[in-house]
Every structure is written in structure tokens, then in C-alpha cells.
Amino acid sequence: MKAYAYFPGCSLEKMALSYHQSALECARRLDLEFQELDDWNCCGTTAYFAIDQLLSYTLSARNLALAEKKKLDMVTPCAGCYKNAYFTNVTLKRDADLAEHINEALKEDDLHYAGTNQVYHLLEVFCNDVGVQEIKKRVTQSLNSLRVAPYYGCQIVRPRKDHEEVENPRYFEDLIAATGATPVEYQLKMRCCGGSLLITSRKAAFSMARNLLQNAMDNGAAVIATACPMCQVNLECYQQQINQEFGARFSVPILYFTQLLGLALGASPKELGFGSELVSASAVLAQIRNKETSTTQSPYIRHATS
Amino acid sequence: MSEKVGVYICHCGANIAGVVDVAALSHWAGELPDVAVARDYKFMCSSLGQELIEKDIQELGLTRVVVAACSPHLHEATFRNCCKRAGLNPYLFEMASIREQVSWVTANKTVALEKSKALISGAVHRVIHNQALEPIIVDINPNVLVVGGGITGIQAALEIADAGYHVYLVEREPSIGGHMAQFDKTFPTLDCSACILTPKMFSAGTHPNITLLTWSEVEKVDGYVGNFTVKVRQKARKVNTELCTGCGICEQKCPKKVIDTVFEAGMGLRKAVYTPFPQAVPKYPVMDVQNCTFFQKGTCKACEKFCPTGAIDFKQEDKVVSFDVGNIILATGWDLFDCRRIPQYGYGRLANVYNSLEFERLSNAAGPTGGKVILRDGVTVPQSVGIIHCVGSRDKNYNPYCSAICCMQSLKFAHLVKEKTGAQVYNFYIDIRTPLKAYDEFYQHILETDETRFVRGKVAEVTDAARLPGEEGKLIIQVEDTLIGKQRRIPVDMVILSAGLEPRHDAKEVAKLFGIGCSADQWFIERHPKLDPVATMTEGVFVAGVCQGPKDIPLSVTQGAAAAARVIGLVNRKQVSLEPVRASVNAEQCSGCRICNNQCPFNAISFLVDKGVSEINPALCQGCGTCVAACPAGAITGSHYTNAQILSQIEGILEVELGQREAVPA
Ligand SMILES: Cc1cc2nc3c(=O)[nH]c(=O)nc-3n(C[C@H](O)[C@H](O)[C@H](O)COP(=O)(O)OP(=O)(O)OC[C@H]3O[C@@H](n4cnc5c(N)ncnc54)[C@H](O)[C@@H]3O)c2cc1C
Ligand code: SF4
Ligand code: SF4
Ligand code: SF4
Ligand code: SF4
């Protein structure tokens, strides 16, 4: 059983409780041990880096140091926390001077960060460490060709980290296909959902979310799967307002990918935090419960294997 | 016997003297044992510098010379000649590289001085053990191998053949012509590509001094300048060229259609037995056995049935031919950047996104649409077309270099699209690069007359996700227009990606086969980027055209001709002098173990059964040193690299007390 230091991030305490529950449930069912960090702190989220870099790095470094103390790699389900932790790890390794400053601050807490561990997003752990093939083997409840739009959002792939595919990554699609669902191909899968723009420019943020919802719907999505609490909120909570603003009629459930994966792995909706949706997911659950299993594979999988 | 060594230290302007204390160095060198004189001078390689050495040799009776300056690569020949002029055997000279190996790579002046001392001390110790040698003179085989039958290779072959020497022109594809044969018009004059190319192809195909080996590849190269032996595999055409008249009936009758991904760039079809285009040279078809119904399913043979001369030969096998040449010119050209590597531009996913070669075929009157510029549906004429520059070039994620031709090629396309469709054309560029003769005039002409809109900015993406009115069913080009400082979305019907030029996918292997080097980008490396652009570090092997780096047709032709001139010059000399660096076996010491026998990459060692010892043929030996190291009895010596020379050089280097080392950056 592989162990990770699990950093949930602030949102998962309350707003995204269902992400927290379903992430842990999936990990359990995939024989992963997620040890939540004791006494973790907020990563500074999107805004803080622009205000005080040194302090923001220190915030993330503290969490990383806690994980390093356990000799574990860190995994986080939030795309924003992931980006902050990932780049703190990389920057500290590159910038000895910065590392020294930060470690000076961490000393107050009897901590030190040497940068010996890695930072992963939850998707990476499932797709790379466990592997899509393995997940496919563990699926007990096929998602019956449910049309799921994988929404990467902007922060998992950007900024570019290494030589990874940033323009058309496929691992989220592969994961969805492994559950028996059909991944929806749509162009805006990595576009920003508006993020915290909502606070400063509501109209512009709505327009971004609208484009995304429209593009996913145009390509036949029955549900959008997210991997970030911020994306989930922007796409789900504001659907009504977006409908009013643009005269649209969106009513598409926005679920965490772990909720769908969890269903495929045999967990009950309750174990996965279902029930708090603002846009009802009952149609989704109904399709999955529909016992008649379909053999249609996703077009991508068919393409890749032919 | 004690030797009289002269040591000459060059300032190289400030190149060396700016870092190394040359006065102190020459003072120190003057005190070394056996050194009769040590001097420093501004430019040793100048005629005054060389006269200084000559004068000392004659007046002081120097028996050995050491020059501490740039590198043997640059000036060894200069100073050897200088010694020779003064009557000293040129091999009694040694060079210490204190520019490339010291001043250019060392910041700390103390360390620089110490390292210079060590290198000079090594050279002085070594030169004492140098022996007078005479260069080896060998005949040059006048035949020449040209690899690659694009415009560059054709030009080179014709120049040499016209000069009266025989050329073997080896081309991988069924016909010569290269990429130029695929084009519609050529910039900047817009003359028809085939019209100017095919006469040259025809001349190459019929020239009595040219042996054309198409559908062929070089498999092995042995030997050295003047005397290469080459093995070429001629792939089975399944057509007997002795009998075939090129009538094309087989192609007409062949029922099997295949997408032509080479000549038609995937835009058109060909048959299983085919000539890639009507003006192909040679005119004989080749059979694609992977796709031939007979080879795959066992029945058909329509071609055989209809061939009026009985030339189809299903049993024909590959043939390996071997011949000798004195010089080799590589003109293997380029591959097009694969636009799929930039998924945000939609190539391969969005039907009406084309790469530049596809557009050449679309626009070509002999192409799959008869020259009509229409969308993939086969009927719709585009009303708006976006041409994107620098695709895969000038981008650290793909190729950092500028492909040099694609600005002009994009302007050419803008003009052709406008002329053929009247569509609104947009060119998306980062910078417009039109530096050569009549090129900027062409650009100005397009600017003034063609109503093409130029948008300066790197395109972010090409998408079919419509958002705004007017975008439905279009390809939308999202770009930051850096001249107005705004993001723009421009809907068009067709997008053309001006993909960059890349080294051939197999450039590295080909370079290895011919014993030359590749740059980090994998273009073949020339001997000197400015002063010797067509020679390579391997004597007798030349490079020309795009395989050496991106360039247009005029420059490719110029290089092809230049390489030919170099070869003709060598062949006219009839003989070439080789470095007398050869290995020899001391029969007294040889135990006859024969370990060295199969070590030699040039097969120069044979075993004399009667005498029970091994012997090296100096005509074949290339002085690589493998056998010297292999001999357990230490019986083999490499001239100019004797044990005494190497060991004394090491001793000399170690004799200099080196102080505190600079930390070496990891
Ligand atoms: C879309 C496009 C349009 C262009 N338009 C123009 C234009 O209008 N005007 C202009 O001046 N330039 C133009 N260029 C540039 C032009 O294509 C090059 O300058 C020219 O092709 C260089 O010719 P080459 O013989 O060096 O290479 P190539 O044309 O690539 O020919 C190389 C030949 O070598 C053969 N070969 C390769 N490897 C081997 C091997 N190992 N053994 C045997 N044979 C081998 C190949 O089959 C090929 O026949 C254009 C380029 C592009 C991409
Ligand atoms: S000999 Fe070499 S180092 Fe000296 S001036 Fe000439 S180029 Fe420069
Ligand atoms: S039909 Fe025969 S002669 Fe005519 S091109 Fe074909 S092989 Fe040659
Ligand atoms: S045998 Fe092959 S090449 Fe000949 S006609 Fe049939 S398919 Fe074509
Ligand atoms: S020639 Fe023009 S289009 Fe081509 S890489 Fe250079 S700048 Fe870009």
C-alpha cells in the first residue's frame, strides 16, 4: 500500500466537502494510504503570490516541510494548492538564497524543508501511480457510457512544468474511459473557469464560465467532471445567474471526478458526498444505475487502439 | 643530443593577452630546459609573426618549434608551412592551445597563467620527441558520390559531370527532384517550379557522366579522401528497367489506389505501381509491395498482363552495388516540421487546417485538385484564409531557429490564394524576414497590391469552438495583435501552417555513416560556419543545401555548385597528401598473438604466416590508434603519437606546479 501525505486545502473543509470525502473513498478503494498532514495551513491560494511572494512561498513550504518530515510525497486534490506547492518545491530547489530565507522562518516552527519529496495532483496519483489499466480492472460498476466532459481547468497543466503535453493532455479522458463512461471531446477543456475574477469582474467571469458550459454542452456532455473546488463552484453555483445574464438554459451537473470514479469503484453516493449539489445529479445517478451495460467504447479509446 | 626549441606566444589581439599575462609567460618559457628562445607577439599568424619564426629557425638554428596560440584546428597548417619554408620538417612543430583551452574559458588570470604554462611545458617536452615525417601522397579517384537528388544534389552532380568527371547520384525516392518538384511556383519571381527544375532533372538523367541510382540508399562507406569504397542498396523496383519504356500502362491498369504521403503530401492518390509524377527521372515506375494486391493477397498481376514489354518482374530482389569514389557530397535536404506537435493549431484534427507542403500540392496545376484552391470537401472555395508563420520555428518548445524560407513562402501563398480565389488573406507573423535579393520588394508588392492583412502576433490557437456571431462553421484564429495591443478572434475558412524545415529524421545515422558531425539541432556541421561552409571535418566529405541548415533554392544551388567546385579542384590535383600518422608493428616485439588483426576498422592488418608476426599496410592504415592500444606486447607504434611523445607531454604538464584550483561549476 503506497502512502502519501494528503493536503486537502481549505476549500475541502467545507465548500468542497464532497471532494474530500470522495477523494479519500477512492484512495481507500485503490489501496492508497492518504495520511492527512497534522496542522496544515492555507497555501495562500491564487491571490497571495501577487501580494507577497516570500510569504506565499513560506506558507506552501511549511506544508511541504510537514510532508517531508513524514518522508512522504504530497498529494492534493485542489488544482490551486497543487500549483502553489509544486512551484514552491521547484523554486526552492533552484534558488538556494530563497530556500535559506524560508528555512530561517520555518525554524520558528522547528521545521526545515530540503526538497526531497514530490508534489502531485490527485489526478496524477490515480492516472500515473495507480494507472488507468489498474483502475479499469477495479471498476465494479461501469458508468454505462455516461457522457462526461473532463474539465482540466487551467492550473493543473499551466504553467508548463516540464515537457509534459500542455495543449492536449489525454490522461483525464483515459481515466474517464476506464470507468466505462464516454469522455466528451471539447475544445475548452483547459480554459480558465474565471477563477477569482468573479470578485472583481463578475461579467467577464460569467462570460468565461458560460463559454465553457456552452462548449461542453455543444459537444454533448451530460455531466462535467472537475478536479478543483474553485472550478466546481464557478461552474455550478453560478449557472442560474449565467442563465439570467445570457438568456441561456444551462442545467448541467458539475461533479468532482472522484465522485464519478468512486461510483465506478462501487462506492455508494452517500459515501461520495452526493446530495449537496445545486444542480441535481439524479439523472446521472439514474443512468449509472441502469443495469443494462453498454459495450460502446469511447471514440478516443477506439481510435487509440485501432 | 640536445634540441634547440623556440617558443612563440601569441596575444591574438586581446583574445589571449586580455586574460593571460603573455609577457610573464614568455619570460617563464625562456627559462625552460632546451628552450633557446621564447617570444610573444601580437598576431603570430600574421606574415610578420611567421617571419619571426622563420628568421629564428635560420639564424638561431632552431630544431623544434612550439606555438602557443589558438588551436591546431585553426592554424596548425599555417605554422607547419612556416617551419617548412624555413627548412624545418613541419612535424617538428607543436601547438599549445591557450586561446580555446585557456583564455576563452578561464576568467581567473592566475589560473589562466598556470594552465598556459602547463600546456606549453607539455608541448615543449613533447616536441623534443617529435620525429621528422613526410606526408603520404595518394592518388585521388576522380569519381564522385552525390547523396540526395534534390535541387542541390542535381546541381552538384551536373557541375562535376560537365567538368568531365563521373558522378554516382544516389536518391532514396523513385525519382530525383526533391521537394522542389512538389512546389507550384517559386518565390520571389513566381516562375513555375517544375518548368525550371525538370530541364535540370532531365540533364542529370541523361548525362553520360552521371550514373543515376534512384530508389537506392548508401549502406556502407569505407576508406578516406581520394579512396572511398561505397556500398549502395538498390531497392527492388519489381520493374526491369532494361525492358521498361516508361509507357505508364502498368500504372493505368493497376487497380490498387494508395494515399500518396510522400510526393502528394497525403493530398492525392497513387497506384501500387507508380511513378511519383509525370516528369519523374528516371521514368521507370516502382512497385510498392506493401500495398500491391498481388504481394498481399496473391492475385492480380494486372500490371504484368498489360505491360507491353514484359518488364514487370515480381521476383526482382534488392541489389547491392559497390564502387569506388574519391569524394562525397551530401545533399540530403530536409523534412517538414510535424504540425501535429502543436495540437492547439488543430492540424490533423480540423479538416481545413493545411501544412505548407499540402498547400503547394493544392495550388499545383498538376496536383490532386488541378490547382484549384478548395476546402477538404472538394468543392468550396474559401472566402478567407489565414496563413500562420513560424510554425515550429523560433519557439523553444520546438525548434529555436528560424527556418529562413517560410516568410517568403507565406507571402508567396498569400499571393497565390488571392490570385486563385480572391479570398481575404491574413498573414500572422512574429517578424517578417525577407533579407535576400528581390525578397523585400516582393513583400512590398504584396503589401501594396494584394490587400493581404498582416497581423503581428503569435497565434494562440485555431479552434472550431464558435462563440461570437459570424464564427459558426468557421475556423477561428485567436491571436494577440501586438500592434494594436488587443486579443483578436479572426474567423476564416482555411488555415495554412507555414511549418519549419527540420533536419531529416535520420540525419544522425547518415552523419555517422559518412563520419561527419551534426549540430545540436542535427543539421550537418560544416568545417567552418563562415569560411568553409561546404567542407566538413572529414576530408573528402562535403555538405550542401538544406542538410547543412535552412536555406532557399538559390542558396542551395550555390552551395551545390560550391561543393562541386571544391571536389573538382581536389580531383584536378590528382593526388592528395595525407597526414603521415600511421601505425607500424615492430617485428622484434610482436609475439604473433593476432589480437590486433580484427581490431582494425580499416582492415589494414594482416598476419604474415611465414614470419609469425602481424604487419600493417600503410596505405590502408588511418592512424586511428586502436591497434596501438590493443597490442599486449606493446609492439605497435603510431607515428606522431608515440609513447615517448605522449608520456613526455603528460610529464611536461604535470611538472608545472598548479596552485589553487577554481571551483569547477557542476
Ligand atoms: C512549403 C515550402 C515552399 C518553398 N518554396 C520555395 C520557393 O518558392 N523558393 C525557394 O527558393 N525555396 C523554397 N523553399 C525552400 C526549398 O524547398 C529548399 O531550399 C530546397 O528544397 C533545398 O533543396 P535540397 O536539395 O537541399 O533538399 P531536398 O529538396 O529536401 O532534396 C533532398 C533529396 O535528398 C533525398 N535524400 C534524403 N536523404 C537521403 C539519403 N539518406 N539517401 C539518398 N537520398 C536521400 C531526398 O529524397 C530528396 O530527393 C520552400 C520550402 C517549403 C517548405
Ligand atoms: S595565431 Fe591564432 S591566436 Fe594568434 S593571432 Fe592568429 S588566430 Fe589569433
Ligand atoms: S507497363 Fe511495362 S513498360 Fe510500361 S511503364 Fe509499366 S513496366 Fe514500364
Ligand atoms: S500486381 Fe500489384 S502493382 Fe501490379 S497491377 Fe496488381 S496491385 Fe498493381
Ligand atoms: S522565415 Fe519567417 S516564418 Fe520562417 S521561421 Fe523565420 S521568421 Fe518565422
Side-chain angles (χ1 to χ4, degrees), chain B residues 52-105:
Chain B
L52 202 68
I53 301 177
E54 287 172 50
K55 203 161 143 248
D56 282 355
I57 293 175
Q58 276 153 359
E59 291 179 2
L60 304 179
L62 298 182
T63 60
R64 297 285 191 275
V65 170
V66 169
V67 175
C70 42
S71 63
H73 173 41
L74 209 59
H75 271 314
E76 185 175 64
T78 311
F79 296 117
R80 276 186 177 170
N81 280 331
C82 160
C83 293
K84 197 171 156 195
R85 279 196 304 275
L88 188 70
N89 184 288
Y91 292 91
L92 301 177
F93 157 82
E94 204 53 52
M95 201 160 174
S97 168
I98 60 167
R99 190 181 74 176
E100 281 81 339
Q101 294 191 11
V102 180
S103 65
W104 277 358
V105 291

Side-chain angles (χ1 to χ4, degrees), chain A residues 39-260:
Chain A
D39 192 31
W40 55 263
N41 54 267
C42 170
C43 74
T45 155
T46 40
Y48 202 30
F49 266 87
I51 295 165
D52 191 326
Q53 273 212 351
L54 185 64
L55 284 179
S56 326
Y57 278 129
T58 314
L59 283 179
S60 281
R62 185 175 174 277
N63 293 325
L64 286 166
L66 290 172
E68 193 176 45
K69 207 163 149 189
K70 286 167 163 278
K71 295 198 167 51
L72 292 175
D73 290 338
M74 186 203 259
V75 56
T76 169
C78 169
C81 302
Y82 166 66
K83 191 205 84 205
N84 287 348
Y86 183 93
F87 284 101
T88 301
N89 172 308
V90 171
T91 313
L92 291 197
K93 274 185 213 165
R94 250 198 324 247
D95 187 341
D97 186 53
L98 180 70
E100 200 181 315
H101 274 80
I102 286 173
N103 276 319
E104 194 59 34
L106 293 182
K107 236 193 230 158
E108 286 290 307
D109 237 357
D110 273 339
L111 286 170
H112 179 87
Y113 187 54
T116 55
N117 55 353
Q118 302 289 324
V119 178
Y120 298 115
H121 185 268
L122 192 57
L123 264 177
E124 291 180 298
V125 167
F126 289 166
C127 293
N128 301 340
D129 293 8
V130 179
V132 172
Q133 287 312 319
E134 180 60 29
I135 288 178
K136 203 169 175 178
K137 278 191 224 148
R138 307 243 187 158
V139 168
T140 56
Q141 164 72 64
S142 161
L143 298 194
N144 281 335
S145 303
L146 176 69
R147 291 189 59 84
V148 180
Y151 179 47
Y152 288 82
C154 55
Q155 303 198 73
I156 294 180
V157 281
R158 298 275 189 184
R160 192 187 281 263
K161 291 165 198 72
D162 204 354
H163 295 293
E164 78 276 29
E165 174 57 86
V166 293
E167 294 293 350
N168 186 19
R170 307 292 316 179
Y171 53 87
F172 205 164
E173 279 87 343
D174 294 347
L175 180 68
I176 288 171
T179 64
T182 302
V184 172
E185 299 287 339
Y186 68 117
Q187 297 85 344
L188 301 191
K189 66 184 183 182
M190 289 165 346
R191 278 305 157 78
C192 175
C193 65
S196 37
L197 188 63
L198 211 88
I199 302 163
T200 48
S201 178
R202 217 174 152 78
K203 183 143 189 201
F206 278 174
S207 159
M208 293 170 86
R210 191 269 317 240
N211 292 340
L212 254 161
L213 293 168
Q214 187 66 53
N215 190 232
M217 299 309 289
D218 285 350
N219 288 282
V223 52
I224 296 176
T226 75
C228 169
M230 171 87 93
C231 304
Q232 201 278 340
V233 167
N234 280 352
L235 293 184
E236 187 190 50
C237 302
Y238 296 99
Q239 269 185 41
Q240 282 310 320
Q241 274 116 306
I242 289 169
N243 285 343
Q244 276 164 20
E245 186 88 31
F246 296 99
R249 294 174 62 189
F250 295 118
S251 175
V252 54
I254 316 290
L255 296 176
Y256 292 107
F257 81 98
T258 41
Q259 293 181 287
L260 293 166

Side-chain angles (χ1 to χ4, degrees), chain B residues 26-318:
Chain B
S26 100
H27 184 77
W28 166 86
E31 305 295 312
L32 290 176
D34 297 314
V35 173
V37 60
R39 301 184 198 277
D40 60 285
Y41 187 69
K42 247 191 169 124
F43 293 107
M44 281 314 307
C45 60
S46 66
S47 46
L48 288 176
Q50 295 189 52
E51 279 163 23
L52 202 68
I53 301 177
E54 287 172 50
K55 203 161 143 248
D56 282 355
I57 293 175
Q58 276 153 359
E59 291 179 2
L60 304 179
L62 298 182
T63 60
R64 297 285 191 275
V65 170
V66 169
V67 175
C70 42
S71 63
H73 173 41
L74 209 59
H75 271 314
E76 185 175 64
T78 311
F79 296 117
R80 276 186 177 170
N81 280 331
C82 160
C83 293
K84 197 171 156 195
R85 279 196 304 275
L88 188 70
N89 184 288
Y91 292 91
L92 301 177
F93 157 82
E94 204 53 52
M95 201 160 174
S97 168
I98 60 167
R99 190 181 74 176
E100 281 81 339
Q101 294 191 11
V102 180
S103 65
W104 277 358
V105 291
T106 317
N108 181 321
K109 293 191 173 181
T110 320
V111 178
L113 183 63
E114 282 176 359
K115 186 169 175 195
S116 305
K117 285 182 182 174
L119 292 178
I120 292 173
S121 168
V124 169
H125 275 71
R126 184 188 205 274
V127 81
I128 290 171
H129 295 273
N130 279 14
Q131 291 151 343
L133 300 170
E134 291 307 326
I136 298 169
I137 308 291
V138 294
D139 290 341
I140 295 182
N141 183 320
N143 298 340
V144 182
L145 168 68
V146 176
V147 184
I151 183 59
T152 310
I154 292 175
Q155 183 70 28
L158 285 174
E159 301 273 359
I160 297 168
D162 284 345
Y165 299 113
H166 197 85
V167 179
Y168 295 92
L169 178 55
V170 175
E171 166 59 51
R172 169 184 284 175
E173 297 297 329
S175 167
I176 57 171
H179 283 105
M180 196 179 161
Q182 295 172 280
F183 302 160
D184 178 20
K185 304 267 167 61
T186 51
F187 61 72
T189 42
L190 296 178
D191 32 8
C192 140
S193 193
C195 310
I196 56 176
L197 173 67
T198 47
K200 281 190 183 270
M201 290 169 58
F202 183 77
S203 302
T206 51
H207 204 296
N209 281 340
I210 297 181
T211 302
L212 208 54
L213 296 164
T214 53
W215 205 229
S216 298
E217 271 178 70
V218 177
E219 272 194 346
K220 197 157 186 279
V221 185
D222 285 320
Y224 50 93
V225 56
N227 299 275
F228 292 105
T229 301
V230 184
K231 254 196 201 140
V232 173
R233 174 173 297 270
Q234 283 187 287
K235 291 172 273 185
R237 278 188 125 88
K238 306 291 180 192
V239 169
N240 181 343
T241 52
E242 305 276 308
L243 299 175
C244 173
T245 59
C247 69
I249 292 176
C250 54
E251 185 165 359
Q252 273 168 30
K253 297 292 179 188
C254 173
K256 183 67 192 270
K257 286 186 180 152
V258 185
I259 295 177
D260 182 355
T261 52
V262 180
F263 187 78
E264 293 293 0
M267 299 286 289
L269 301 173
R270 61 161 169 79
K271 297 291 185 66
V273 59
Y274 69 105
T275 47
F277 52 103
Q279 307 95 320
V281 171
K283 62 194 168 190
Y284 315 119
V286 299
M287 196 181 294
D288 164 9
V289 296
Q290 293 326 322
N291 283 300
C292 161
T293 312
F294 171 69
F295 276 100
Q296 297 310 320
K297 303 220 173 96
T299 55
C300 178
K301 294 200 170 185
C303 50
E304 185 183 53
K305 194 164 130 217
F306 286 98
C307 174
T309 63
I312 298 285
D313 177 2
F314 292 106
K315 294 210 180 71
Q316 196 181 64
E317 300 278 347
D318 287 6

Side-chain angles (χ1 to χ4, degrees), chain B residues 389-391 393-394 401-408 410 430-433 498:
Chain B
H389 292 219
C390 299
V391 175
S393 308
R394 308 180 66 202
Y401 53 81
C402 167
S403 288
I405 54 93
C406 16
C407 273
M408 279 301 286
S410 302
I430 316 179
D431 301 288
I432 295 278
R433 299 192 166 173
S498 293

